[in-house]
Amino acid sequence: MSTIRDVAEVARVSKATVSRYLNGTLALPPDTAERIDAAILALNYRQNSLALRLSLGSSETIGLAMPDVANPFFAEIADEVELAASERGYGLSLCITRNQFDRESLYVGWLDTQHLDGLILVSNRPDDGSLRALIGQRRNIVIIDEDVPGAEVPKVLVDNVQGGYLATQHLIQAGHRRIAHVSGRPRGLFTVQERCEGYRRALAQAGIAFDEALVCFGSYEREFGATALAGLLALPSPPTAIFAASDYLAVGMLEALRDRAVNVPRDMSIVGFDDMEFASLLMPPISTMRQSARDLGRTDVDMRKSIDALSYLVEPLLAQNPRLGQPVRVCRPRPHKGEVSVLGSHRVRSGTRGSNRGISHHPHRSHSAGLHSRNLTLGLKGMELPAREPHRTIAVARVS
Amino acid sequence: MSTIRDVAEVARVSKATVSRYLNGTLALPPDTAERIDAAILALNYRQNSLALRLSLGSSETIGLAMPDVANPFFAEIADEVELAASERGYGLSLCITRNQFDRESLYVGWLDTQHLDGLILVSNRPDDGSLRALIGQRRNIVIIDEDVPGAEVPKVLVDNVQGGYLATQHLIQAGHRRIAHVSGRPRGLFTVQERCEGYRRALAQAGIAFDEALVCFGSYEREFGATALAGLLALPSPPTAIFAASDYLAVGMLEALRDRAVNVPRDMSIVGFDDMEFASLLMPPISTMRQSARDLGRTDVDMRKSIDALSYLVEPLLAQNPRLGQPVRVCRPRPHKGEVSVLGSHRVRSGTRGSNRGISHHPHRSHSAGLHSRNLTLGLKGMELPAREPHRTIAVARVS
DNA sequence: CTGAAAGCGCTAACAT
DNA sequence: ATGTTAGCGCTTTCAG
């Protein structure tokens, strides 16, 4: 490979001139410009990005650290983040933590070694303070999906309480009184806690007593769905509906129910959580709380564009758009097809996803092919996020 | 952040000494070593990876270019590749091409700019020669999943002919005579061509005439599954079974069949292709040809370890293991749970995936919850891949 | 054993 | 408008 020096020699100018010309910081007389262009072409010159980055002191790369990318929920986030990053000329380093602290630690360390300019962190463990300490005062981390309490960085989290509330309410409105809740572990996980809190609120509002026997905490995985289900069915008075805190859980339950020849939704109603894209591929499709992985991914990178907390990463972008320090709307997602996006307020309407014409609010009634499916769509809630307040939380809640 | 220079000053030695000590190329007297250690600790020194990489002329990063990572099939590959890369100390740059040539081109270019040391390329377009030309003589690319004809680089491809053959044979053995085939587009895509070829072979072998009306090429996507199905059902003499060239296609068909209240598998049998992890979550679970995304990912990075075609990437690894130029077995995957892995030969046995006890070979008979499910497992075929023959193809074929 | 110095390829003052 | 020079932080000859 040829270097800028070769180009300079061939074009009979200095390295600096070539460099400035290439970066557009200089208007050259046509003849010199042409000589340089010709040299570049002749030598098939390409900027060495390593040297560039060393010189600039920035890797032009952001990291996305998540427990697992084979899980469709995370994969969707990754897809969206990659898009946002590449649109801005950033590379994306994929960092799979497999839920281990030492791996999270490794990747956070990459921020110091210039390996990464910024890090999008999806942790899925309850933090004992180590991760928070590790994050420390860093200004180039964004936390999404699961909170790391105490960490003073921008966060993009889902309104899990609201989600749990709506899911449960959905079942109550369908006539259920005995509603179980199956969720992850440990209970200390914010997503677990909050979804459960929403569940309790909905019950309370409907005057249904909370029954400890009807809630199980184990994991968000499929396997636990089956286990939990067995336990619930063995109760003296089993539930008629279940709010599962993840779609994977719901799937595990569906499998177990199928094995026991229990008809869904006739004999058991289920609401999931996550709205992974494949949820609608299930037969029967289950209701699920939508927390859009794509919005989590997208919103997050929008933040980078506007918050000076991420100044390290954002400086080059701000340079082009010097409204520095002004409050900016950070969460302005386009509405998805068939949805109404309501900024700043919640509004519920019936959705259009899937083949759910002839929607029935009663789970014991079903349409066309004997399936139960009802969608709610809750608009995104956008918030003004003033500069200099990097650790406020953006709630993105959706239901479908 | 402190630099090696700071460390040197505090430890009262030269930069060079620190550098060599850190790289283990030097044994130091205990006292000097201690001084350096202390300085590193005190200053919280970390190697700047940008500088390191510029100096070394290698980015210690490989790229994974794929059309889409939200698709579970690709996501599984990504997961596996990340694991392999991180185990070897490489970073992984995720490059989503969205099936556009200019994006593929961009990422291939990163090999020249030192941005990437190696590239794992998953293209999903039929190549008109541009991509092949772009790849040219580069020695640090590996192609997986879909062939780029003419490109002389290592490839990890599935034996699609065999896959199509087995899928079709499965249906024939179940008693079907009118079997449709629905696949992607354009027909020029190798995966499309080969799977169809396998389909034809199986038909021929069973003495069933090939009927043009029963094959549809459109796309691997779900939507086309529904479209194609409508066409097939409208035929004067519709098929009783379908071999779908992707699981997404099969899912689209299942949905369409459900809408028409056609019972699967009683009135229509379907075999898919890919064995995405979520395939078994479908209800009813469909039979599917297993081409293990994970094996594609894993095998590939194993190749990097042993083939000198990838010398650029592999040199640091070979340095530790100087059996340079020796033939190495590159494809030695561990058998999955419940499977028999047969190197160098094919063997069929009944599998153990899912809840398929009481397997029925007849699609019109079904077990427990009224579902049709039959699994075949074909062992991996491993090949000796001699050094200096980087562009031989490894066939990984599995069925389940 | 250890240090001085050159160099990786580029950018960015500072000159001219 | 262009050249000169000094770094960016590290590794690696080459000397001592």
Side-chain angles (χ1 to χ4, degrees), chain A residues 64-68 73-74 77 95-105 108 119-132 134-135 141-149 151 156-157 189-191 220:
Chain A
L64 173 61
M66 41 173 53
D68 173 18
F73 178 70
F74 294 128
I77 294 180
C95 311
I96 305 300
T97 62
R98 305 183 198 283
N99 249 335
Q100 293 160 18
F101 172 70
D102 55 347
R103 309 218 73 207
E104 293 173 344
S105 171
V108 170
L119 182 65
I120 298 175
L121 184 56
V122 187
S123 181
N124 228 352
R125 307 171 302 105
D127 181 36
D128 62 1
S130 315
L131 185 54
R132 183 197 45 197
L134 203 63
I135 291 170
I141 293 185
V142 172
I143 288 171
I144 69 181
D145 189 42
E146 175 74 41
D147 196 12
V148 177
V156 182
L157 307 173
L189 260 186
F190 269 57
T191 49
Y220 281 142

Side-chain angles (χ1 to χ4, degrees), chain B residues 168-180:
Chain B
T168 312
Q169 196 186 44
H170 173 53
L171 293 167
I172 293 170
Q173 284 172 355
H176 294 281
R177 303 289 294 174
R178 246 186 119 53
I179 302 170

Side-chain angles (χ1 to χ4, degrees), chain B residues 184-249:
Chain B
R185 176 135 68 179
R187 301 176 70 138
L189 260 186
F190 269 58
T191 50
V192 171
Q193 244 169 40
E194 292 173 1
R195 287 170 201 181
C196 183
E197 170 63 21
Y199 162 77
R200 299 185 70 146
R201 276 195 207 166
L203 290 185
Q205 196 187 45
I208 302 174
F210 173 78
D211 182 351
E212 186 77 53
L214 289 179
V215 300
C216 326
F217 300 95
S219 100
Y220 281 141
E221 299 302 316
R222 213 163 111 207
E223 290 71 20
F224 181 64
T227 312
L229 184 89
L232 290 171
L233 290 188
L235 288 176
S237 161
T240 63
I242 305 174
F243 162 38
S246 90
D247 283 345
Y248 260 29
L249 271 175

